[in-house]
Amino acid sequence: MSYLEYNTQRMPKGMAKVLYMNWPLVVLLIAVACYGFVMLYSVAAGNARPWMEPQMQRFGVGLVVMLVVAMVPIWFWRSVSGLAYGLTTILLLGVEFFGSVGMGAQRWLEIGPLRLQPSELAKITTIMALAAYFDWVDIKKISRPVFVLGAAVIVLLPVFLVVRQPDLGTALLIAAAGGAVIFAAGVHWGYFAGVIGSFVGLVVAVFTSRGTDWQLLKDYQYRRIDAFLDPTLDPLGAGYHINQAMIALGSGGWSGRGFMEGTQSRLNFLPEKQTDFIFTTLAEEFGFIGAGSLLVLYVMILGFCLVTVLRTSNRFAALLAVGVTANFFLYFAVNTAMVMGLAPVVGVPLPLVSYGGSAMLVLMGGFGLLQSAHIHRPRLPT
Amino acid sequence: MKRTDRDKEQSRRVITRRALGLGALQLAVTGTLLWRLRDMQLEQADAFRLLAEENRINLRLLPPTRGPIHDRNGVLLAGNEQNYRVVMTRDDAGDIDLVLDRLQRLIGLEDEMVERAREDMLRNRPFVPVTVAERLSWEEISRVAANAPALPGVTPEMGLSRAYPLMADMAHVVGYVGPVSDRDLAREESPDPVLMIPRFQIGKSGVEREVEARLRGKAGSQRVEVNSVGRVMRELDRIEGEPGETLHLTIDARLQNYALERLAGQSAAAVVIDIPTGDILASASAPSYDANMFVRGISRTNYNALLENDFRPLVNKCVQGMYPPGSTFKMVTALAALDAAETDGRERVYCPGHMDVSGNRFHCWKRSGHGQMDLVSALSESCDVYFYEMSQRCGIDRINAMAERLGLGERYDLPMTSVASGLNPSREWKTRTRDAAWRIGDTVNVSIGQGYVLTTPLQLAIMTARLASNRAVLPRLLRDPLERAIPQAASLDLRPEWLEMVRRGMVQTVNDRRGTAYSSRVVEPTMAMAGKTGTSQVFRITQAERDAGIRRQEDLPWNRRNHALFVNYAPIDNPRVAVAVIVEHGGGGSTAAAPIGRDILLAALNEGRPPLGAYPTSQRNRINAEQEALKDRLRDLGSFRVSRA
């Protein structure tokens, strides 16, 4: 691809670009972030500190980041994709060797005053690298094993490094978002069937072997899996948090218990109520109306992202937009499924709502790329 | 690489198709999530709401206020005292060592207490308040309150704890409370949950233990909101419990105080019975102990001192102590003989100083003999030989029956700890427990209150009350202040002329010049007294000792000396009060027990203090000196009176 295929004459220029952004998406992002501000105010028992105020600042910075990224032409981002991916890989290796331990896992890299979470960065750069890769590969040869293998390597290298941290949740997210890009690029569905099929086969083998002489795992490992899959088995141990989260969520009812009236969060029965479990507080205090409307907003965001995907004829831009969308979807789907007891507890925040800086900035950067794709889409001569 | 338009077109088609596919998948997953949310929040909301409420609401019991115990005149015997204490919470204190150090310097705590508080705090969760010091004075607690800013996490608190204002006076009757033990729990059929409250106190002995159910009251409850670690956030509502009942004892605290002080220095017991009602006016067992020590947690040293004391302060000798009644039993033998018509009472029996029964020689206490004795003089001069003779005529069965009629050998149903039944021996009893046949010698021993027969001071007082009233007087310890009239006890149906003869014997014991208790006579006619002395052997004096010349009680070690007993009642013509006194190893009944019995009886008739005018003129100087010496030790009960009953 080169920028020559764009009709540069019709490309918006300068500050006029702002007018050509995917504005409904911007509005939706702000709306979702406002849910976050309200909930962070509530979980701090009616105080702007320690969470709401910094979150607002970060979101402001996030909006600026999105705007800046959006202003830069998409072909620039394509040309730096490989570089960004390489840099991320180096940072991930840096975490491996020099990372500082936080929350029981090596995730942070401290460079001077900066605290970096390279695994967050990897979510976007992996998608960029894949999109660039499939833009480069000849469309007719795309399903050849050697090219599929290349894509797999691009995905699995950061996944492997993130698993080593160990951060299984993020690794799975990177893999799944990568999978979405590979799928969208048009790789033969047989590969996906094969991967899914062998995964299912492995799971079945592990479980059917339980209690037989060819048992694949040790007994204690099975017990851990049990508690992981069904936390209610162990209400005082690992399952305590998820049970409390479900109680909070369920007790919200139709209209919730009222703003700052959620007993589960106010009395500290909820774990990490400002981060991964913030959805439960929302559901407890604002009920189905609050939690359901947030899910609807998320779906609308997905919809407007899809608009960008469909409106661009640029292969890199479209694949990148698919990846960013998939990444965002995986965030909220895994998080809400987790607090509703449908998925095991893995550390995944609720996008734009949970308190946290790195994830927010990377997410907004991703939307910036999507906006850039939207602004700089090829336009047909009229 | 340069793409053809066809390639581009195909790329766009594939991406569109697959992106729409992914979008549909995402929509489906989100739809599932929304469905799950709907299911939990709308279908199962009530169940989850219930779980949330269970989480946050904690039911707590509020300990009821224990009922106070009053004497018959409204004097407080057991109450609840404001207890100022200092509690400390680690969470709020920050540097606990620093705060404890300041606190120690402020109110002078012992190192041991500070150390214990520190350990408690570190062991418990940080928000749990730990009691650092208890029973502080108002001054100390004010100092803590005034210095509050320098003592973060320290709060002065006020609670109620059991207190016995009369200290040792009522320890044996009222008893004391203490922390609930496993044995206490086992004793209750379905333990009241209130017992599980930490630091809750339960009756451990005496009235406190026996009437526990009425004193305890009913626990209230409080619903509080707690957070995930159990810290109380706020109170939601509370139901007040019911305080325990106020108990009114028949005891007259003023008389009890006098009796105990009169017995001081000896191992002794005295019981005073109000004859018309059976009310126990005083039940004094000396030495006593301060029940408050047990409530506060008695030290091992103090407890061992009580256990190892020869005078056994922990035992309530009035109801637990069993003693051979000695000559105080002779009324029983006399009535048994009269009842059996074996004598008319006027018949005379010659006392040569001893009597031989089936090869054994039984001595009279008067070696030279009493000469001719009828029933009245045999009682007043306490001739043993007369009763040896009478007992052989009427036999043990009749003596046993008469003793039972007079209340001996019976375990009275009183709210006191370990009420003993004594021993009223019979043929059947001996075959059952000793596997031996009853012998005539046994009867002869029993006739003068020796041998197998054992009585408690309470039983002797009841016996005296029955002799004085011819009614089956039963002892009472609890009274209802609202009661109008107490139904009179059933008649004993003893022939009045027999009783008259026995009473005359008791009158002459005190008032006849030859009577054994003549020196303890009363000259005030309205308080005219009748009584009977008793001296019971604890150890048989061996022949070797007789040969060695030991004849005097003072020469024997304390614990081998005779018990001194005295039973009496007054006034003679309209008996109101009966008293039984025992001085363990006190020597002779007439010298050791009778003066005490007289003083206590006179005190009972005169609002708790014996009037000097009732004593013979020749004794007044001595008695006056004794009373003056006692005066300082007696308690002024004015300040303890809570209500006029």
Side-chain angles (χ1 to χ4, degrees), chain A residues 135-136 139-140 183 187 244 249 251 253 257 263-264 267-269 283 288 295 299 310 315 336 340, chain B residues 1 3 7 11-12 14 18 26-27 30 33-34 36 41 45 48-49 53 55-56 226-228 233:
Chain A
D135 192 23
W136 169 73
I139 294 169
K140 295 185 204 65
F183 178 77
V187 171
Q244 294 300 341
L249 198 137
S251 67
R257 311 200 67 174
T263 58
Q264 288 283 101
L267 299 174
N268 272 329
F269 287 100
F288 185 68
L295 284 180
V299 170
L310 299 181
R315 189 164 164 80
T336 52
M340 285 192 274
Chain B
M1 131 190 13
R3 285 215 176 89
D7 276 356
S11 156
R12 188 157 185 190
V14 169
R18 293 217 167 171
Q26 290 168 359
L27 196 65
T30 314
L33 292 173
L34 207 61
R36 168 77 171 174
Q41 292 203 292
F48 283 118
R49 181 69 63 91
E53 294 294 288
N55 260 345
R56 82 180 173 106
V226 296
N227 71 1
S228 59
M233 306 307 279

Side-chain angles (χ1 to χ4, degrees), chain A residues 62-99:
Chain A
L63 280 178
V64 171
V65 165
M66 180 177 82
L67 209 64
V68 169
V69 172
M71 294 299 108
V72 177
I74 190 72
W75 50 85
F76 171 81
W77 293 120
R78 179 186 183 278
S79 51
V80 298
S81 290
L83 190 68
Y85 180 77
L87 209 65
T88 309
T89 311
I90 291 169
L91 287 175
L92 282 173
L93 283 168
V95 171
E96 175 81 23
F97 296 110
F98 312 108

